[in-house]
Structures are given as C-alpha cells and as structure tokens.
Amino acid sequence: MGILPGGGGGHTNGGRAHWEQMSTVLPLLPATGLPAGSPGPDRLPESAREHLATTPFGLYVHVPFCATRCGYCDFNTYTSDELGPGANRAEYAGTAIAELRRAAKTLGPELPTVSTVFVGGGTPTLLPADDLAAVLAEIHRLFPVAEDVEVTTEANPETVDGGYLTRLREAGFTRVSLGMQSAAEHVLAVLDRRHTPGRAVQAAHEARAAGFEHVNLDLIYGTPGESDADWAASLDAVLASPVDHVSAYALIVEEGTRLARRISRGELPMPDDDVLADRYEQADATLGKGGFAWYEVSNWATSDAARCRHNELYWANANWWGVGPGAHSHVGGLRWWNVKHPAAYADRLTAGLSPAQEAELLDDDDRALETIMLGLRLREGLPLSSLSLTGRGRADDAVRTGLLDPSAHVAGRAVLTDRGRLLADAVIRDLTD
Ligand SMILES: C[S@@+](CC[C@H](N)C(=O)[O-])C[C@H]1O[C@@H](n2cnc3c(N)ncnc32)[C@H](O)[C@@H]1O
Ligand code: SF4
C-alpha cells in the first residue's frame, strides 16, 4: 500500500505513526484552507525549491471512494456516490486533474521529472479504467516523466478483471497492488472484505496475463479469530501466486472504527501483541524461504527491481505531491495536507483556490529526525553518524540487547536485527528520544 495518507501505526507498521510523532509546531488554521500569504503549495519558499531538480519526485493520487467501508479502516474514503459537484465518482478524475494542473504551475517553470506515480485509496479501481488512464495521460502532458517511471494502482480484488487490467497496462501503469488481506473466509468476514478467498490470487494471475511485471499482495495479520494455520495458509497462497512483492501489516485497531466498537463491546478480542509478534516471525520465515527478502519492516520483495520505488521515495524523505482530498505532500521541507472532504476539496478547486488546509515548514532538526525514523525501518538502516550523541549511546545498548546488528554497527551503520524488527517502533523511539 502507499503509506500516505494514513496506513496504520504501532507494532510493525509505519505511515501514520510517523506523521503523528513528527509534528512539532502545527499552526492551527481554518479547516477551509490556508490563509492568504502563508507558506504552502501556492507560495513555495525558496528553500523548498532549492533541490527540486535533483531530488527524486513522485505523484500520489488519492481516490476517496469505496463500495463499502471495511470495519477496521479509517482511511479518507466515502461510500456514497453522490458527494456533490466535482466530488462524484463520475467527475472525480477531472477534479484530480485540476489539482495536477495547479501542481505543475506551482512547481514550474523548471519542473521536476516524475519518477513514480501511485494511485491509492480508497478504491481507485471503482473508477473506470479510462478515468485512471486519463489522469496518467495528463501527468505525461504536464510533467517530464522518467523513461522507467513506476506507475502503481491499488486495486480491490473484486473490482478488476482481465480487460480492466489490460486497459491500465496499455495506458502505462506498471504495477498493481491488490488488497488480499487473508486467504481465510472467516478472517475476510471479520474484516468486512467483499472478495472471496482465492479472488486476490486470481486477480494477480490476471494482472500478470495483462502484462504487469510487478504485482503486490497486501496482507493483514492478527485479525480476531485468525489461527496460526489461517496465517500459514495466507502466506502459502501468496507464495503460490505470481507476485514479486508482499506487504504484511499488523491489524491496527483504529479509534472510531466499527472494529474498535466491536472490540469495546466485547464481541471480538483485541489483537494480542505476542500473537502479532509470532505472526510477523512466521511471515518473515515463510516469505524468506519462498524467495522474498524484507527491505522495509513491513515489505518483502523478490529482487531489488521488485521493490516499490514510490514507497522508497517516501522513506528517503524525497519530494512528492499528493493530489486528492486529505492527501499529504512534501517538497523540500515544506509539508502540507489537503482538506479532507471530497466536496470541500472540489469546491476549492472550482473556485480557483488551493485545496491545501494546513502547512508546516520543517527545520533541519525536524528533517534529520524524520530521516532517522524512516531510515531505521529499512534493511540498509542508516549511518550511526546521523544519530545524536545520546542516540549513538543508545545504539551501543541496542547492539548489546540484540536489537541492532553488531557487524553493521562496527561498519558504522544502525541496522535492525530480526528481533529489532519486531520492536522497530520502540527502537526508533529510543534512538531518537
Ligand atoms: C487503505 S487500503 C487501500 C487499498 C484498497 N482499498 C484495499 O483495501 O486493498 C491499503 C491497505 O491498507 C491496509 N490497512 C488499512 N487499514 C488497516 C488497519 N487498520 N490495520 C492494518 N492495515 C490496514 C490494508 O492492508 C490495505 O490493503
Ligand atoms: S476497501 Fe480498502 S480503503 Fe476501502 S474501506 Fe476497505 S481497506 Fe479501507
């Protein structure tokens, strides 16, 4: 999955936790948009523009629609088809294109080359394939695009078929990320998923047949009622499928979701931390034997070429523009996020205004901290020299307690051990305190 916007926090998941921990000073601005004159996408400070040409640049396009809401999900998504002018499914591609045009105007005249595009959601594949193709065509018209550009779309397994995927491949999409979650019927039922067991793997075959070289399956572990055998069956199903990438996330019980309410009423048990740790170890061992190597705490790929370059761009703290309601952007230390509701988002664009709601200019210390928090989750880890003096002392302790790799430490890098990966968030907190 794309880690933004949102994506689960805690245990072994990155994404949202990162944003929440990072905020130093968030100016509280009206929910309707940035006041005139404040730094934001319409007024990129010179410091933010400085390395635009030399920093990898990606585009994220959020599609805020789902057929139904899964009980565990608190992403910015809506099930109604009627959200007002510009925000309806039928008009949405045009509205997103309006923001892309603003982005090109703001970033120009010397535009950065787009190295990755990620269409996420919500359920992007609820839109006709021609609409996703039109968004991508407009990106090509507006921006210089790298010859080897990676273009991913997320897809719910029940929303695609061979014809749909072929149309996307022809339009220039290079990667599909399918939300499989589990191979067990009763687990899919607890998660409120609409697809049947087997459908995700079948869709992966269809994606390969349509010419996609890169296909990902998303899994969730620790769902109430999931047994060791269920999880083993999900992993085996992934290994038997023609994919080159797997993301596996611990189920996060997000406040305000149906799942959280069911747990607080006692209808379902809370996922247990020890079980989550066991599941993670089981995943890493099984995927490892099956030819998948971890390259970020929650992500495994069959080769370096199979890694998700768009997520790598986030983790490297590079530049990206997030299009769509609630989407986050980062350009050279300026971070902003759009108004959340699709109707408010469309209204602002129609009125010729930026859809940005709040912005934050990070200083060098904030950016260094972010780089550590993201870098430590990667297989390559990060140079010990990027840690503070206290952090380096804590890294020595973490080597002694088996959380950081001793040989990497001798070579001057902080790299998580297998046990360290289980406690990644705690190690990161310790090294950055
Ligand atoms: C938000 S969905 C968007 C893509 C698509 N609609 C789908 O469901 O596959 C992307 C991924 O986020 C993960 N996710 C969402 N909410 C989560 C939660 N509460 N805990 C763990 N993973 C979650 C799921 O693995 C899902 O595949
Ligand atoms: S389909 Fe995906 S985005 Fe939509 S509610 Fe379910 S998990 Fe969330």
Side-chain angles (χ1 to χ4, degrees), residues 1-2 7-8 13 66 70 72-75 120-124 154-157 177-181 193 218-220 247 249-254 259:
M1 73 173 181
N13 292 359
C66 287
C70 309
Y72 59 92
C73 178
D74 78 341
F75 277 62
T123 305
E154 290 186 325
N156 288 36
S177 175
L178 292 155
M180 168 173 168
Q181 321 311 355
R193 296 296 297 195
D218 271 354
L219 291 176
I220 288 182
S247 302
Y249 302 104
L251 177 67
I252 304 297
V253 180
E254 303 285 2
L259 176 69

Side-chain angles (χ1 to χ4, degrees), residues 33 41 49 77 192 217 234 276 296 365 374 381 406:
R49 286 188 172 278
T77 188
D192 300 318
L217 289 172
S234 296
L276 293 176
E296 194 271 351
D365 287 349
L374 294 166

Side-chain angles (χ1 to χ4, degrees), residues 9-33:
H11 200 60
T12 51
N13 292 359
R16 179 176 305 134
H18 156 70
W19 292 104
E20 284 170 355
Q21 287 162 26
M22 274 311 302
S23 306
T24 42
V25 188
L26 280 181
L28 276 180
L29 302 169
T32 46

Side-chain angles (χ1 to χ4, degrees), residues 231-419:
W231 183 229
S234 296
L235 293 166
D236 288 346
V238 166
L239 290 186
S241 74
V243 302
D244 62 354
H245 193 285
V246 182
S247 302
Y249 302 104
L251 177 67
I252 304 297
V253 180
E254 303 285 2
E255 246 177 77
T257 57
R258 199 170 94 83
L259 176 69
R261 287 192 293 278
R262 292 183 73 190
I263 290 175
S264 69
R265 285 200 298 265
E267 277 172 42
L268 294 170
M270 185 76 177
D272 177 277
D273 270 349
D274 290 339
V275 171
L276 293 176
D278 289 348
R279 295 270 193 277
Y280 182 81
E281 283 180 323
Q282 195 181 342
D284 194 49
T286 308
L287 293 172
K289 272 189 225 137
F292 289 80
W294 79 283
Y295 70 102
E296 194 271 351
V297 170
S298 305
N299 289 278
W300 290 258
T302 53
S303 68
D304 286 354
R307 293 177 173 202
C308 175
R309 281 166 38 210
H310 187 78
N311 279 343
E312 288 192 308
L313 186 142
Y314 291 149
W315 299 326
N317 226 345
N319 291 337
W320 70 91
W321 190 298
V323 167
H328 288 242
S329 302
H330 171 259
V331 175
L334 183 75
R335 196 154 76 194
W336 69 89
W337 44 102
N338 287 345
V339 290
K340 221 173 154 190
H341 199 279
Y345 169 78
D347 284 352
R348 290 191 63 79
L349 285 163
T350 309
L353 298 169
S354 161
Q357 177 179 322
E358 291 186 59
E360 180 180 31
L361 195 52
L362 304 174
D363 63 22
D364 288 349
D365 287 349
D366 291 333
R367 296 191 74 188
L369 186 60
E370 271 204 348
T371 304
I372 296 171
M373 291 169 69
L374 294 166
L376 255 181
R377 298 176 59 87
L378 304 176
R379 188 186 187 98
E380 287 77 21
L382 46 82
L384 288 169
S385 58
S386 58
L387 298 173
S388 67
L389 206 59
T390 316
R392 285 202 285 273
R394 301 254 173 92
D396 295 345
D397 295 343
V399 171
R400 276 192 286 279
T401 51
L403 298 172
L404 286 183
D405 183 289
S407 40
H409 191 255
V410 171
R413 294 190 76 79
V415 174
L416 293 170
T417 57
D418 291 352
R419 204 170 93 76

